[in-house]
Amino acid sequence: MIGRLRFLIGILITVSCWISLPTWGQAPCEFMMPVSTIESAQFSFAYWHHDDGTTPGIDASAGQLAAKLDRIYDSPLFGYTMSFSTAIELDTLLAQSWVGSGSMSYRYYISEELPIFVYAGTRLDAATYQVQPGCELRSGIGIGRLRDVTPLAKTQRIITLLQDERAITRSPSSQAILEIAETVARVESYEQFEEYVADVATAIESKVGATLDPASVLTVRAELERGDDKRYCGAILQGGVGYELIDPYDGLQDVLYVMSGDVAHSPTANSQLRCRMSWSGAGSDFLGENTSALDFTYTADLRDSNAVTASYGVKRVASAALAARTTQTATVEYALAMGRTDLLFSLALSKKTGDQDWTIDVSVSFALDLL
């Protein structure tokens, strides 16, 4: 059963990537902003309650709540990364088990040309199977950057929409698209949004040799106003040493060896891949006493306003005193737009150490626009 579900999830993601391919070969990652601020927030809640009047007590009342928050800032000489995630298992609307983590790190680059930096930060971990929350201080060196490529992604979507509406008939060159994206990126320099829209429309007209009518300008404006379509690319890898301020199992505070990484890629204007990992080992027995986490997220806006989101996360805590504990979560959501009705198909899987098999939640819901 689980094998089939994994196969179907893989097929769904593969098809989604293929459907969302742009009409030209230029990837959004070709565009890099010198200063980037990237924010994302996700929240999901699933619950099922059933109380059969012919049986004593509540037959079923369980669910899951999950949340993620990320903020990344990058400039030529300074940057920081902040993240938070949690997953809570519910029973009769009360938390039965939960796992959460948060981290913050600051980077200082040795030069604007070389992506090499020194960093310092902290990490918090908490779970119901831990004696107490854990807290670590970390510092070391690293390499890489994460950059905002949203302006080029927006430009590509605008050009595709205008071509679909037959407002323009000629595809701009890759260089022309990059130049339009530079205008799109200057949104902060405008006091009036109308002036910003007008300049972007003018830039498009000059590169495609066509005049946009008022309806086409409204299309441009609607795309520029979208705030839920951040795209970013790059990688940050860092490693060093740390120190346990609070041991999660109330043991001795140890010196830590730490590694972490962030990788992001936007294959198309309509999709985003993200992978994050973290590992820390304590003292001389760092192979036997360590904490590791891996999170993977894929999002894609498909044609006709459909969308798919898939995520997978795993956290493992190994201790010399206790057996290793592992928590895994996976979700897939597919939103299907049908005129004034939206259908949402959701599949959520979760498993932790001690469970014989995966917990599976499948739901289908719809929303109707009445006005």
Side-chain angles (χ1 to χ4, degrees), residues 338-342 367-371:
M338 303 176 61
R340 302 178 69 176
T341 302
D342 290 333
L368 177 63
D369 184 5
L370 298 177
L371 298 177

Side-chain angles (χ1 to χ4, degrees), residues 232-313:
Y232 41 101
C233 295
I236 294 176
L237 302 176
Q238 57 193 30
V241 295
Y243 182 74
E244 278 185 319
L245 291 180
I246 304 175
D247 186 275
Y249 296 99
D250 201 21
L252 298 176
Q253 285 75 36
D254 294 311
V255 174
L256 304 172
Y257 301 99
V258 297
M259 293 187 298
S260 62
D262 242 313
V263 180
H265 183 62
S266 182
T268 73
N270 295 317
S271 60
Q272 179 72 57
L273 291 167
R274 175 79 179 272
C275 182
R276 167 174 289 168
M277 62 78 64
S278 176
W279 180 89
S280 65
S284 59
D285 189 26
F286 60 89
L287 293 179
E289 187 169 346
N290 55 71
T291 300
S292 57
L294 175 67
D295 288 288
F296 170 84
T297 303
Y298 169 79
T299 60
D301 299 323
L302 310 181
R303 296 174 182 175
D304 300 323
S305 300
N306 299 336
V308 64
T309 301
S311 64
Y312 172 77

Side-chain angles (χ1 to χ4, degrees), residues 24-332:
W24 51 82
Q26 187 178 32
C29 292
E30 295 180 20
F31 184 87
M32 296 292 180
M33 296 181 65
V35 178
S36 301
T37 301
I38 304 165
E39 296 177 312
S40 65
Q42 298 175 339
F43 176 83
S44 64
F45 176 76
Y47 203 86
W48 181 51
H49 182 90
H50 178 67
D51 187 1
D52 191 335
T54 63
T55 61
I58 299 174
D59 298 275
S61 184
Q64 184 188 69
L65 184 151
K68 291 183 179 181
L69 174 66
D70 293 300
R71 181 179 174 87
I72 300 169
Y73 175 82
D74 189 271
S75 67
L77 290 176
F78 172 76
Y80 67 83
T81 301
M82 178 182 70
S83 68
F84 165 81
S85 66
T86 185
I88 304 173
E89 299 292 334
L90 302 174
D91 187 7
T92 60
L93 292 177
L94 299 176
Q96 293 298 109
S97 65
W98 59 278
V99 58
S101 63
S103 64
M104 183 80 181
S105 65
Y106 294 89
R107 305 183 302 277
Y108 181 78
Y109 291 88
I110 62 175
S111 74
E112 296 186 14
E113 292 77 19
L114 295 175
I116 299 175
F117 59 86
V118 294
Y119 80 95
T122 183
R123 179 178 177 86
L124 301 172
D125 287 284
T128 49
Y129 53 78
Q130 295 178 190
V131 177
Q132 60 189 359
C135 180
E136 306 170 0
L137 292 180
R138 299 181 173 191
S139 65
I141 61 173
I143 185 172
R145 293 183 183 271
L146 285 179
R147 290 289 182 83
D148 188 359
V149 300
T150 304
L152 182 55
K154 281 183 176 288
T155 301
Q156 291 177 332
R157 284 195 295 268
I158 289 171
I159 296 300
T160 298
L161 290 171
L162 293 177
Q163 288 177 328
D164 291 343
E165 296 173 358
R166 300 189 180 278
I168 59 176
T169 57
R170 181 172 61 88
S171 297
S173 65
S174 296
Q175 182 59 37
I177 291 174
L178 287 172
E179 293 175 3
I180 296 171
E182 291 176 357
T183 303
V184 173
R186 292 197 293 268
V187 59
E188 299 294 337
S189 64
Y190 290 87
E191 294 184 2
Q192 300 294 327
F193 192 74
E194 295 297 338
E195 295 179 4
Y196 171 57
V197 175
D199 280 1
V200 172
T202 300
I204 295 173
E205 291 175 337
S206 65
K207 298 303 178 182
V208 301
T211 301
L212 301 182
D213 58 27
S216 299
V217 175
L218 288 176
T219 297
V220 174
R221 180 191 178 97
E223 190 61 36
L224 293 175
E225 287 180 327
R226 286 182 54 180
D228 58 347
D229 58 348
K230 281 289 187 178
R231 300 288 179 255
Y232 41 101
C233 295
I236 294 176
L237 302 176
Q238 57 193 30
V241 295
Y243 182 74
E244 278 185 319
L245 291 180
I246 304 175
D247 186 275
Y249 296 99
D250 201 21
L252 298 176
Q253 285 75 36
D254 294 311
V255 174
L256 304 172
Y257 301 99
V258 297
M259 293 187 298
S260 62
D262 242 313
V263 180
H265 183 62
S266 182
T268 73
N270 295 317
S271 60
Q272 179 72 57
L273 291 167
R274 175 79 179 272
C275 182
R276 167 174 289 168
M277 62 78 64
S278 176
W279 180 89
S280 65
S284 59
D285 189 26
F286 60 89
L287 293 179
E289 187 169 346
N290 55 71
T291 300
S292 57
L294 175 67
D295 288 288
F296 170 84
T297 303
Y298 169 79
T299 60
D301 299 323
L302 310 181
R303 296 174 182 175
D304 300 323
S305 300
N306 299 336
V308 64
T309 301
S311 64
Y312 172 77
V314 57
K315 179 181 178 181
R316 182 179 184 274
V317 178
S319 171
L322 300 172
R325 297 289 303 240
T326 301
T327 302
Q328 300 180 75
T329 59
T331 60
V332 174

